Amino acid sequence: LSSGINAEYGHTVVLTDTQLYSQEKYGIFSMPIFLDLIQHIDVVTVSTWEPNINSAVQLRFTDGIVLLQANGTYERDQWYHSLLWKFNVLNRKKLLKMTSCPEIIAKELKALVNIALRSQLHDPQVWTDCLVLISNQLNHTNSLPPNALEEIIEALGPALVQLNPPTPELCDFFSRYCRDGPCAATAVVVFAPGVHSILKHNVDFGKYTYIRTFARDFIIALASQDACPESLPCFVHTMHSPGARCPHPRVLPNLMAVFLAAIWSAFDTKCSYRRNSSVNLLLGSNRTEITNNKLPKEKVTACFMKMIELCATHEDWVKEMAPLLHPIPFPEEALKFPPFVMGMVNVLKRFASDQRPEVRECLFPMREGKESWIQLIAPDHNCCPDDGKTFCDIVRTLLDRAPVRRKLVRQLAHSCLDAFRLMVIRGDDFFVRMLSEMVESDVIEDKDQKEQALSTLCSNTDGARLYRAMCDRQAALCNLAQLGGPTKLTMPAHSTDADVEKVLSSGPFGNLEKLSLAFTCVTSDCARHLVKLPNLQHLNLWCTQFGDTGLCLLAEHCHRLKSLNLCETLVTDEGLLALTELKTLTCLNLNSTKLSAQVFEELVNKLPALASYDIRYTEACQNKEGTYIRDVHNGASKSLQAEMFDNKKGLVDGPFLKYSPIPDRKHDEGDKDENDDAVPDNDVMSHHSQWNGKNTPTFTLNNGMSEQSTLLTTRRQSTPAAFLSATREFLFRDLGRPVNTRSLKHDH
């Protein structure tokens, strides 16, 4: 053999399924060499040839031997294994044509599979030839005994299905064996590795629909095993892997494709002809029975609803499954089938209880005019499975999980207002309160719908009572919102929620813009009083017991907030996510809170007006290499590695707490400096102190509020030594590091 086509002594040889011929018609290749005439194929070394080309492939015939000389051992081995494979396939074809014995057919097919497994050729054509031969044989075999079928299945299952996508004929054979086979349990065990391989890799189910049909029938056979009720959970667990996250990204999309196709094939009758026609064009008109196997609705519903519910038990799959079910991808006939809707109830409850907003969002309409799951299970829908019980449970769960209650109430009012009215007419106390909240929150945009909601609410005894109480609250709120009162209010230290309620209920606070509750004992309960302040723009909650519940309430109602100090509070990521509703927020202090890096990035992206922030001593600070304290307007940007104290400029502590130094004092009272009488021009913090103990130093946050500080000094700590001690404690508490008191002289 030579690589040159027109070589003087060489041939360009072509190998087909039945013969070996040369494009140069001379010599021994003046006629083709038929493979069925070959008796034996071997590799030999001819000692009389040159050492570099002494390798040859020997073809033994009845009347002689042909030596094919190769240019090297690699080329020789390629031709040897190729000829050997074609020779074996041709011999198996001859044997299978001459026999009808099932045992011999099974034996020869198993032998062919074993040869393909042991072949040294890494060419997909090897398995293609094998699959075509086996498929043709199974197609022309009318009936095989169960033991012969089991032998063929055991040979084909782990080899062909796992190593190469099976042909349509094999898939049809496997599907029929799963559905009607006498030993379906054997098929489940044998096919499991192949199905795992199909679902874990990229498979174009739109092109190879027969593979999807085979996977569907395998799952149904798996669910039909009465002896092993845990077969479906074990299968899903195996596909996911024991870890918290599935390492195969294609598993869930492939599973969902199989589930949806199975449900459509069982319920939809409009598209069955179109789908079957496309498959018939792909497989040929003689294979129409592959897709004409309509399954009973009850069996499909019980199997695949269980599979979807099992997939929803995995945390990572829930996030991927929610977009696949949004909007509703099932046919109308399935949604009108009560067992199907009941099978989706647990999945919808799992979505509602998830912590991730994008998962809960799949329950609501994607856009106007698209039906959603929350509408499907509503009591006013004809597909409601249980007169609104599931709807009530899901709404309760959503309200418990929602970081911003007002936003969720607006979504419910937009999509399910008629369902709420129906439940109020039926006397459900929960929906009476919810409809009252919708009316009070003014989330019903349409005027006619608002009037209908009011009439429905007043038709109920409890609803009428809630409406009267709401009117009283609105009157009190109008009284509170009257112009007048102070613009700034600072509550004393150790004030409680009751103290805040008493002060705010004492008179109108319509002008109140700045409120300081720093170093008080208030909790989230005081938020219900703070939301009544119509002009509140600056709120200081430093070192309080304020938590997520109150923060969510503030985010719902206080949309005019510009600065918020949550330093050393109990807020976490769950409550901080609600701050994304405060679009006017410009200054935010989250120092020493449970802020994560992910939530901080989301806050920065969703708060367009945010100009200053402080995230020191948080997880976001530890994971962030850049700025921890930022003041965009003043151009200040400090990190923890920056110098925090300057003898001339004082303590630089970010935009939320800046400390201006006391003017230099000379030891001689008669010697004054020009800055003694100067007032520090600092809109963030000013500090004046007298050493006679009559005045107490104060500090001002960047919202302009003034608070008497017991950390710096008290009336009893009026000496410079006591002041230094208190200052050291204050700096250690704020900076998180000890300060050398020797560097703090009395005049500073």
Side-chain angles (χ1 to χ4, degrees):
L1 298 177
S2 175
S3 59
I5 296 180
N6 297 318
E8 184 177 357
Y9 300 102
H11 291 271
T12 302
V13 180
V14 179
L15 177 63
T16 65
D17 292 339
T18 58
Q19 62 184 0
L20 185 69
Y21 68 93
S22 174
Q23 295 181 357
E24 291 75 30
K25 307 294 184 181
Y26 62 87
I28 194 173
F29 281 114
S30 58
M31 296 291 293
I33 298 177
F34 293 95
L35 299 182
D36 55 355
L37 300 178
I38 299 176
Q39 295 182 344
H40 184 69
I41 303 175
D42 200 358
V43 176
V44 296
T45 301
V46 183
S47 59
T48 58
W49 293 353
E50 297 181 7
N52 57 341
I53 54 173
N54 61 354
S55 300
V57 179
Q58 184 186 73
L59 306 180
R60 185 180 297 276
F61 298 89
T62 57
D63 55 351
I65 297 175
V66 175
L67 295 178
L68 302 178
Q69 183 183 14
N71 292 328
T73 56
Y74 179 75
E75 184 178 351
R76 178 203 64 188
D77 291 341
Q78 279 186 312
W79 275 98
Y80 168 70
H81 291 292
S82 299
L83 288 167
L84 189 62
W85 170 251
K86 294 293 185 180
F87 177 73
N88 287 323
V89 170
L90 188 61
N91 286 338
R92 292 301 181 284
K93 287 182 179 179
K94 293 170 58 177
L95 290 174
L96 292 173
K97 287 182 179 179
M98 292 186 298
T99 182
S100 60
C101 178
E103 288 77 9
I104 297 178
I105 293 176
K107 179 181 178 181
E108 294 299 330
L109 292 180
K110 289 175 61 178
L112 184 61
V113 171
N114 292 331
I115 293 174
L117 287 172
R118 295 194 304 267
S119 176
Q120 300 297 322
L121 295 175
H122 298 282
D123 194 317
Q125 187 64 30
V126 173
W127 286 104
T128 301
D129 295 341
C130 185
L131 287 171
V132 170
L133 177 59
I134 297 176
S135 300
N136 293 335
Q137 185 62 38
L138 294 177
N139 192 29
H140 292 87
T141 301
N142 295 326
S143 61
L144 291 175
N147 57 348
L149 283 174
E150 289 187 9
E151 291 180 1
I152 297 175
I153 291 300
E154 290 177 359
L156 295 178
L160 301 184
V161 180
Q162 188 172 5
L163 294 178
N164 197 62
T167 62
E169 289 78 12
L170 277 179
C171 284
D172 180 31
F173 174 76
F174 293 155
S175 297
R176 286 189 283 109
Y177 193 81
C178 289
R179 293 193 305 269
D180 309 322
C183 300
T186 304
V188 168
V189 175
V190 174
F191 294 155
V195 175
H196 289 178
S197 177
I198 291 173
L199 296 176
K200 289 180 180 179
H201 296 84
N202 290 325
V203 179
D204 188 356
F205 284 143
K207 183 178 181 180
Y208 304 109
T209 54
Y210 48 87
I211 301 179
R212 185 178 60 198
T213 303
F214 165 56
R216 177 201 69 184
D217 294 332
F218 171 81
I219 294 175
I220 294 177
L222 194 67
S224 302
Q225 295 188 64
D226 298 332
C228 185
E230 297 296 325
S231 56
L232 283 182
C234 292
F235 174 74
V236 174
H237 179 73
T238 304
M239 295 301 302
H240 181 272
S241 78
R245 188 171 185 83
C246 180
H248 306 285
R250 290 299 309 168
V251 171
L252 183 65
N254 288 339
L255 281 174
M256 292 301 298
V258 174
F259 300 162
L260 296 178
I263 293 171
W264 275 88
S265 64
F267 285 93
D268 188 31
T269 57
K270 300 177 182 179
C271 301
S272 59
Y273 174 77
R274 180 172 66 252
R275 291 197 307 272
N276 291 344
S277 299
S278 61
V279 175
N280 294 339
L281 289 175
L282 177 66
L283 304 182
S285 58
N286 60 334
R287 303 303 301 163
T288 55
E289 70 274 7
I290 291 181
T291 55
N292 294 337
N293 42 32
K294 194 173 182 63
L295 299 173
K297 298 179 181 179
E298 294 79 6
K299 190 174 183 179
V300 171
T301 300
C303 174
F304 291 100
M305 288 299 100
K306 180 66 175 177
M307 288 291 293
I308 294 177
E309 182 179 351
L310 290 172
C311 292
T313 58
H314 295 280
E315 191 76 16
D316 58 325
W317 277 0
V318 170
K319 185 178 179 180
E320 301 177 21
M321 186 187 301
L324 297 177
L325 298 179
H326 188 215
I328 301 176
F330 300 108
E332 295 181 2
E333 291 78 5
L335 300 178
K336 296 177 182 179
F337 191 53
F340 176 84
V341 182
M342 288 301 299
M344 284 295 299
V345 165
N346 292 332
V347 179
L348 299 180
K349 289 182 178 180
R350 176 65 183 84
F351 289 168
S353 62
D354 196 88
Q355 298 285 352
R356 292 160 290 194
E358 60 270 21
V359 176
R360 299 193 300 268
E361 196 67 27
C362 76
L363 298 174
F364 294 93
M366 176 176 286
R367 59 181 180 271
E368 190 70 25
K370 275 290 185 179
E371 196 173 48
S372 63
W373 289 110
I374 195 71
Q375 295 171 333
L376 183 70
I377 61 175
D380 62 328
H381 199 280
N382 56 0
C383 297
C384 179
D386 50 7
D387 294 332
K389 183 178 181 301
T390 302
F391 178 74
C392 181
D393 295 339
I394 289 180
V395 170
R396 287 176 184 270
T397 306
L398 288 173
L399 289 172
D400 293 338
R401 298 290 183 183
V404 183
R405 185 182 179 93
R406 183 184 179 89
K407 180 180 178 181
L408 176 61
V409 173
R410 183 184 293 108
Q411 286 181 308
L412 292 172
H414 182 70
S415 57
C416 306
L417 182 59
D418 291 339
F420 277 74
R421 292 178 54 213
L422 179 60
M423 297 302 292
V424 170
I425 294 174
R426 294 178 180 178
D428 191 284
D429 295 337
F430 171 73
F431 287 96
V432 170
R433 296 192 299 272
M434 285 299 304
L435 188 60
S436 176
E437 183 178 350
M438 288 181 180
V439 174
E440 185 174 5
S441 303
D442 196 21
V443 296
I444 305 176
E445 300 176 355
D446 188 81
K447 182 179 179 181
D448 295 335
Q449 290 184 348
K450 185 182 298 184
E451 293 178 354
Q452 294 176 15
L454 282 174
S455 61
T456 304
L457 185 64
C458 294
S459 66
N460 184 278
T461 305
D462 295 335
R465 176 178 54 81
L466 291 175
Y467 180 68
R468 289 192 297 270
M470 179 182 61
C471 293
D472 295 339
R473 288 193 300 271
Q474 293 290 345
L477 185 61
C478 292
N479 181 39
L480 182 65
Q482 291 178 358
L483 293 179
T487 59
K488 302 179 182 180
L489 177 63
T490 299
M491 293 297 296
H494 306 296
S495 298
T496 62
D497 295 333
D499 299 330
V500 174
E501 179 182 4
K502 186 175 181 179
V503 171
L504 294 181
S505 61
S506 61
F509 285 93
N511 289 341
L512 188 62
E513 297 178 356
K514 302 175 182 180
L515 176 61
S516 176
L517 301 176
F519 304 104
T520 61
C521 299
V522 297
T523 63
S524 296
D525 293 337
C526 73
R528 57 191 178 93
H529 306 294
L530 302 181
V531 297
K532 300 177 182 178
L533 301 174
N535 294 321
L536 185 62
Q537 299 180 20
H538 308 278
L539 180 59
N540 183 10
L541 295 168
W542 186 9
C543 198
T544 60
Q545 300 298 313
F546 204 78
D548 294 335
T549 305
L551 191 59
C552 293
L553 195 59
L554 289 178
E556 291 181 27
H557 300 279
C558 300
H559 296 289
R560 302 186 65 182
L561 272 180
K562 295 182 180 179
S563 65
L564 181 60
N565 190 345
L566 296 172
C567 178
E568 298 185 39
T569 56
L570 304 180
V571 294
T572 62
D573 287 345
E574 183 177 357
L576 292 173
L577 282 173
L579 294 179
T580 56
E581 300 295 322
L582 302 178
K583 303 302 181 182
T584 60
L585 197 63
T586 59
C587 298
L588 182 60
N589 189 346
L590 300 177
N591 191 321
S592 304
T593 59
K594 297 181 180 179
L595 172 69
S596 66
Q598 181 180 1
V599 173
F600 171 68
E601 295 295 336
E602 187 168 355
L603 290 176
V604 172
N605 294 332
K606 293 187 178 181
L607 294 177
L610 186 62
S612 303
Y613 56 79
D614 186 352
I615 59 170
R616 290 174 297 165
Y617 313 116
T618 63
E619 180 186 338
C621 171
Q622 297 173 2
N623 296 336
K624 188 175 178 61
E625 299 179 356
T627 301
Y628 309 133
I629 309 170
R630 183 168 179 81
D631 188 349
V632 177
H633 296 301
N634 299 331
S637 182
K638 295 287 182 178
S639 65
L640 288 182
Q641 289 75 21
E643 187 65 29
M644 303 298 293
F645 190 89
D646 192 304
N647 289 333
K648 296 182 179 180
K649 297 182 180 180
L651 177 63
V652 181
D653 196 13
F656 294 95
L657 184 60
K658 293 185 179 180
Y659 189 91
S660 297
I662 303 173
D664 293 343
R665 297 182 181 275
K666 305 302 179 181
H667 294 288
D668 297 337
E669 295 182 0
D671 188 6
K672 291 187 177 181
D673 187 77
E674 59 181 358
N675 293 329
D676 280 354
D677 298 329
V679 178
D681 186 11
N682 192 334
D683 62 338
V684 178
M685 182 168 187
S686 62
H687 186 168
H688 302 282
S689 177
Q690 301 292 334
W691 297 110
N692 55 10
K694 295 181 180 180
N695 297 329
T696 304
T698 61
F699 63 89
T700 304
L701 299 180
N702 64 341
N703 56 11
M705 293 181 291
S706 179
E707 175 71 36
Q708 291 190 352
S709 173
T710 56
L711 290 176
L712 295 179
T713 185
T714 62
R715 295 183 184 274
R716 291 172 294 184
Q717 296 176 339
S718 57
T719 64
F723 177 78
L724 283 176
S725 177
T727 304
R728 182 180 185 277
E729 180 183 355
F730 172 77
L731 294 177
F732 177 78
R733 186 175 186 273
D734 185 71
L735 300 181
R737 63 179 183 181
V739 178
N740 186 5
T741 51
R742 294 181 179 179
S743 63
L744 298 177
K745 298 182 180 181
H746 292 180
D747 57 351
H748 287 90

